[in-house]
Amino acid sequence: MEPQPSTTGETSRSARSRQAIIQAATEVFLRHGYLGATMDEVAARASVSKQTVYKQFQDKQHLFAEIILGKTVEVVDTLSEAVTDTLRDARDVRNALRDLADGFLRGLLQPDVLRLRRLVIAEADRFPEIGRVWYDRGFDRSLVVLGESMQRLADRGLLRTLGDPTLAAYQFAGLVMYRAMNQVMFAGTDALPPDDELDRIADSAVDVFLATYGVDTASARPAPRRRRRAGPGTPVSRPG
């Protein structure tokens, strides 16, 4: 009797091929955009046949959607973990929010995250359902998690009554991210503000947020400026 091929081995090879295709396609889409990306280049970068690419993903649109969904899950998981770890047992709400602001700035200003965000926005009219996934399951979901954590801080007496926790989370994220994010989205990744400016933005964001939601006048006093330290998220990678 001839030996039968291992189903487990075939599954493992298929999974490796799929991951290689996703990684290669991410690079191709970020470099050339959706219209400029070709399945030939994806296959070449992944070291697989074009037939294998189509077998795994059917067409370029399905491959693009898979990448956006995967990155959305990755961003949500990273931000949600940062929020939970930073606020869960917080006693000093100012320091906790300041650390969280650092985590947001580090995580969301990564060059690849910015390029992917631009790509989703550029293709929003062509693929509105993909844009909705990025927003609903990514950005919005992360801020719902933040709002829930802020509500727990309020329940512990560390913040005032929030009324609408998700709205409070959006306000905090806007204070932290609006200026820096718009600067790099419009002027390019090289326009990333320097560290001392990001520090100033984060300090000010926490001051303004606590002026509204802080439980006493001490919470509203500006914190001394400090250098950004290691914490949740990945340090911002600046173009070389």
Side-chain angles (χ1 to χ4, degrees):
M1 180 181 294
E2 294 183 0
Q4 298 298 312
S6 168
T7 303
T8 302
E10 291 178 357
T11 301
S12 178
R13 285 193 296 274
S14 178
R16 287 197 298 270
S17 294
R18 186 178 184 86
Q19 189 55 44
I21 292 167
I22 289 174
Q23 182 175 344
T26 301
E27 296 170 0
V28 172
F29 282 125
L30 291 180
R31 179 183 296 271
H32 301 298
Y34 179 82
L35 291 179
T38 68
M39 300 295 257
D40 286 316
E41 184 173 356
V42 171
R45 282 179 173 266
S47 299
V48 300
S49 68
K50 190 162 69 169
Q51 181 181 4
T52 299
V53 177
Y54 281 109
K55 180 179 179 181
Q56 290 278 1
F57 294 100
Q58 184 176 334
D59 56 30
K60 187 166 77 169
Q61 181 176 343
H62 282 80
L63 178 55
F64 183 59
E66 179 77 13
I67 289 170
I68 299 304
L69 179 59
K71 282 295 183 181
T72 299
V73 171
E74 183 180 319
V75 169
V76 169
D77 287 349
T78 299
L79 291 181
S80 297
E81 182 179 355
V83 167
T84 301
D85 290 348
T86 305
L87 300 186
R88 182 197 299 117
D89 300 317
R91 295 181 179 275
D92 185 325
V93 70
R94 173 179 290 282
N95 283 340
L97 290 175
R98 183 60 174 76
D99 289 343
L100 189 62
D102 282 346
F104 272 40
L105 288 165
R106 283 196 299 276
L108 295 177
L109 294 178
Q110 289 295 311
D112 281 354
V113 175
L114 294 172
R115 294 185 186 107
L116 198 65
R117 190 172 190 264
R118 291 190 193 102
L119 182 58
V120 173
I121 291 171
E123 299 299 335
D125 287 337
R126 189 191 312 276
F127 304 119
E129 68 283 358
I130 294 177
R132 282 194 294 270
V133 166
W134 178 268
Y135 181 82
D136 293 340
R137 300 188 194 177
F139 187 71
D140 185 68
R141 179 58 194 155
S142 298
L143 294 184
V144 168
V145 170
L146 174 56
E148 292 169 350
S149 293
M150 287 179 165
Q151 182 59 56
R152 286 190 284 273
L153 291 176
D155 293 341
R156 292 166 52 200
L158 296 175
L159 291 175
R160 295 178 188 172
T161 301
L162 298 179
D164 185 339
T166 301
L167 178 59
Y170 267 87
Q171 291 166 341
F172 177 77
L175 290 167
V176 173
M177 298 303 306
Y178 184 86
R179 178 179 175 184
M181 179 63 76
N182 277 286
Q183 187 168 335
V184 293
M185 288 298 292
F186 286 107
T189 309
D190 288 345
L192 184 70
D195 285 348
D196 59 347
E197 181 62 18
L198 293 177
D199 280 340
R200 192 173 75 85
I201 291 170
D203 287 336
S204 179
V206 174
D207 291 342
V208 173
F209 184 81
L210 289 179
T212 299
Y213 293 109
V215 294
D216 54 38
T217 55
S219 295
R221 288 202 301 269
R225 255 181 221 184
R226 54 177 179 156
R227 293 185 63 82
R228 294 176 21 214
R229 62 185 185 180
T234 305
V236 172
S237 300
R238 293 176 180 277

